Amino acid sequence: MPNATEPQWLTERLTQTVALATAEVHAGGIPFAGLVADDTATVLGTGVNQVRAHRDPTAHAEIVALREAAREHGPHALVGATLLASGEPCPLCYVTALWSGVGRIVFAADRHAAAAAGFDYASSYDLFAVPVEQWRLSPLHLPVEGAQEPFRAWLAR
């Protein structure tokens, strides 16, 4: 049920996003879509999950929509914009939205609904709650000679 304090366009754009995801399923794709809109409800970018189609593990619907919005309107257009998603964004998409400057994320179906449909990414939200040594894919910090040089070069510019 839509929140009465939210603008009507938000519900309309989220409904549009869900329709994009549904159309993508009927076209043989994955059931996720994203849409970026500014505060006047103008659509800046849309995207559907392209992971399989592009063989790109980062081509989640939300990221595709953010990329399109930045490409078409410039990265500054993302600052304060709203990212709408048919399903609750995974941590990759949340962090990408954060780094892009998006001001708000709104989603229709939560992570539990996604899991019930076979897209269980709920455990990925827990990754940063455990020590790095316990991660399935534990990174190795290996400081080599010159490791700080790119940052020194950047600061010297």
Side-chain angles (χ1 to χ4, degrees), residues 44-121:
L44 305 175
T46 61
V48 294
N49 186 295
Q50 297 291 313
V51 170
R52 289 192 300 199
H54 292 174
R55 296 180 180 183
D56 177 354
T58 68
H60 293 199
E62 300 89 338
I63 293 173
V64 172
L66 290 165
R67 287 174 179 163
E68 179 179 287
R71 185 174 50 252
E72 296 297 321
H73 303 280
H76 64 280
L78 299 175
V79 176
T82 298
L83 173 62
L84 298 105
S86 60
E88 183 175 4
C90 72
L92 170 69
C93 296
Y94 270 119
V95 171
T96 302
L98 175 71
W99 279 95
S100 74
V102 162
R104 162 169 69 174
I105 297 172
V106 180
F107 59 90
D110 67 16
R111 63 185 85 167
H112 307 292
F119 297 92
D120 192 357
Y121 50 88

Side-chain angles (χ1 to χ4, degrees), residues 146-157:
Q148 301 302 316
E149 193 54 37
F151 301 115
R152 288 188 194 106
W154 172 257
L155 292 170
R157 284 187 332 140

Side-chain angles (χ1 to χ4, degrees), residues 12-33:
E12 292 167 2
R13 291 292 182 231
L14 190 54
T15 300
Q16 179 182 357
T17 306
V18 170
L20 284 170
T22 303
E24 181 62 15
V25 170
H26 292 304
I30 298 172
F32 294 99

